């Protein structure tokens, strides 16, 4: 009897994991067509030679695309101080300027060193500028949790847009996001 109960619990847990993973993949790959006041680009690794990781560059390229389509007014780049010694937000801003985004349309948050801090800082910035709608720019597997955190902090007008950039570590990231979502 105990073996049967354990078997059903394991089957239910695995089923929930698969359903959740399929949902976050679908949700993260469904890009917003809405207009917004602000796109927030979540930080990622800046290499020792100051180049951006391919993931981070893909995120920034997605925000440039949103800006060029007039889907957003401003771009907020958010990240922390990486172990390589560079402020992610500052390096992200340099990349955007190099790619013809006017500096007065770029906001920098160098204290968003994790997802929740970026969300909280974004809400404060959006409130101070009277911005009502935000588009989150990050990898597909990250988006469902980001939107949940915005809603948990009483910011409801959050959409998402993800770059079409994939790598093998995404399988691990989907696995990690399952647990991070519920913590």
């Amino acid at each position: 009897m105990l073996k049967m109960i354990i078997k059903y619990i394991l089957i239910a847990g695995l089923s929930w994991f698969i359903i959740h993973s399929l949902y976050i993949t679908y949700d993260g790959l469904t890009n917003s067509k809405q207009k917004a006041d602000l796109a927030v680009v979540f930080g990622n690794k800046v290499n020792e030679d100051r180049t951006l990781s391919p993931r981070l560059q893909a995120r920034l390229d997605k925000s440039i695309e949103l800006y060029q389509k007039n889907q957003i007014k401003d771009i907020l780049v958010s990240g922390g101080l990486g172990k390589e010694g560079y402020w992610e937000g500052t390096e992200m801003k340099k990349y955007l300027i190099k790619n013809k985004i006017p500096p007065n349309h770029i906001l920098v948050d160098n204290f968003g060193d994790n997802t929740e801090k970026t969300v909280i800082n974004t809400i404060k910035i959006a409130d101070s500028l009277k911005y009502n709608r935000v588009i989150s720019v990050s990898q597909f597997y990250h988006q469902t949790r980001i939107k949940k955190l915005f809603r948990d902090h009483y910011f409801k007008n959050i959409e998402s847009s993800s770059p079409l950039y994939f790598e093998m570590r995404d399988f691990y990231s989907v696995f990690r996001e399952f647990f991070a979502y519920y913590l």
Side-chain angles (χ1 to χ4, degrees):
M1 181 69 167
L2 182 59
K3 280 187 174 183
M4 188 73 99
I5 291 171
I6 291 172
K7 177 182 171 184
Y8 285 125
I9 289 172
L10 289 175
I11 289 171
L14 181 61
S15 298
W16 183 246
F17 172 78
I18 291 169
I19 291 166
H20 180 95
S21 297
L22 289 172
Y23 175 75
I24 66 171
T25 300
Y26 170 78
D27 183 41
L29 292 175
T30 304
N31 288 332
S32 174
K33 303 293 185 234
Q34 301 285 330
K35 286 194 175 238
D37 302 304
L38 183 68
V40 56
V41 182
F42 284 72
N44 204 272
K45 183 178 180 177
V46 176
N47 298 313
E48 289 179 12
D49 64 356
R50 263 205 163 108
T51 59
L52 307 178
S53 68
R55 263 178 317 288
L56 184 54
Q57 186 173 332
R59 293 174 187 184
L60 291 165
D61 289 343
K62 178 51 100 170
S63 72
I64 292 167
E65 176 188 323
L66 294 171
Y67 183 83
Q68 290 172 340
K69 287 181 173 178
N70 293 315
Q71 199 172 338
I72 56 169
K73 295 177 189 173
D74 292 325
I75 300 171
L76 169 63
V77 290
S78 182
L81 179 62
K83 65 182 177 184
E84 297 77 18
Y86 303 113
W87 292 100
E88 292 172 1
T90 301
E91 298 305 313
M92 293 160 70
K93 180 177 182 175
K94 289 176 187 175
Y95 180 84
L96 291 175
I97 291 170
K98 210 182 297 183
N99 284 278
K100 299 186 173 63
I101 301 297
N104 61 320
H105 287 276
I106 304 168
L107 306 163
V108 177
D109 166 27
N110 274 321
F111 301 102
D113 55 6
N114 67 42
T115 302
E116 189 162 22
K117 285 182 184 174
T118 292
V119 167
I120 290 167
N121 295 345
T122 300
I123 292 169
K124 288 177 184 175
I125 291 167
D127 285 348
S128 73
L129 296 173
K130 307 281 190 261
Y131 285 174
N132 298 322
R133 298 188 74 78
V134 173
I135 295 176
S136 162
V137 180
S138 190
Q139 300 327 106
F140 74 94
Y141 51 77
H142 200 199
Q143 295 289 13
T144 301
R145 183 164 60 98
I146 289 170
K147 291 188 277 190
K148 176 187 180 296
L149 286 168
F150 269 99
R151 291 182 192 113
D152 287 351
H153 289 281
Y154 307 102
F155 192 93
K156 306 296 183 205
N157 293 324
I158 179 70
E159 300 285 335
S160 64
S161 194
S162 297
L164 292 177
Y165 174 83
F166 305 98
E167 55 189 344
M168 288 302 294
R169 76 179 253 165
D170 291 352
F171 291 106
Y172 161 74
S173 298
V174 169
F175 179 78
R176 184 195 70 210
E177 283 297 317
F178 173 79
F179 296 100
Y181 183 88
Y182 296 103
L183 295 179

